């Protein structure tokens, strides 16, 4: 009788130990899940252009243009070791040329470096190639697609599960997308952007 009871107690202890270890492994898995998920963050980036999309229009009575004051699009960032990361954006902006609506998409792929900073706030710098594509408007479009580079810097604020990243960015496009006599697209663009990623 003692042997059967003793075996039952041992079996019960083994069962409890197994359940405890299983629960511990499960809890550790849940605890590390957010850390793994933070390797890839997705969100949206929005901002404003700080200069006009065109040059030469102010002194030209034949052409008119307006630049809508917004930039918006999706953002993806892959965080790497050594405070590095890679960010890819698809940023949309709109403007008007002689009453015709024009759209531009910019696709920057930026290498980022995050400085240590203080708790919950980390400065960063980024740089890399950028590719753009604009609406094809007859008589104005010289290069609907072009490449260039971007460089910027800002701050990374972490609020719970959200990263808020205000940034100033300079973009240079190698070729003029639109050109006419005394009128051409601005190849140098300054932007203020804010990213919201999860």
């Amino acid at each position: 009788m003692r042997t059967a009871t003793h075996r039952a107690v041992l079996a019960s202890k083994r069962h409890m130990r197994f359940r405890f270890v299983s629960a511990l492994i499960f809890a550790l898995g849940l605890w590390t899940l957010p850390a793994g998920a933070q390797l890839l963050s997705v969100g949206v980036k929005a901002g404003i252009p700080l200069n006009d999309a065109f040059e030469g229009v102010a002194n030209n009575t034949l052409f008119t243009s307006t630049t809508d004051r917004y930039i918006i699009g999706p953002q993806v960032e892959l965080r790497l070791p050594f405070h590095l990361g890679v960010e890819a954006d698809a940023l949309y902006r709109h403007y008007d040329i002689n009453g015709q609506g024009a759209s531009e998409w910019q696709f920057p792929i930026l290498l980022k470096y995050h400085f240590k900073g203080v708790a919950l706030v980390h400065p960063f710098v980024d740089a890399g190639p950028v590719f753009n594509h604009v609406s094809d408007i007859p008589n104005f479009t010289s290069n609907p697609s072009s490449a260039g580079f971007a460089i910027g810097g800002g701050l990374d604020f972490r609020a719970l599960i959200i990263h808020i990243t205000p940034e100033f960015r300079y973009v240079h496009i190698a070729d003029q997308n639109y050109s006419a006599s005394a009128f051409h697209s601005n190849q140098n663009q300054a932007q203020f952007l804010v990213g919201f990623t999860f």
Side-chain angles (χ1 to χ4, degrees), residues 114-124 154-159 164:
H114 295 262
F115 296 94
K116 287 187 178 180
V118 297
L120 304 181
V121 181
H122 300 279
F124 68 87
L155 297 172
D156 185 343
F157 296 93
R158 183 171 179 181
I164 303 171

Side-chain angles (χ1 to χ4, degrees), residues 39-42 75-79 85-88 112 114 197:
L39 292 176
L40 184 68
S41 57
V42 296
Q75 170 189 351
V76 178
E77 182 175 348
L78 176 65
R79 293 189 179 261
V86 176
E87 177 182 329
K112 298 180 75 170
H114 295 262
T197 57

Side-chain angles (χ1 to χ4, degrees), residues 44-64:
V44 65
K45 180 155 280 192
I48 57 171
L50 300 177
N51 57 344
D52 288 328
F54 304 99
E55 292 181 331
V57 180
N59 301 321
N60 196 317
T61 58
L62 300 177
F63 299 99
T64 61

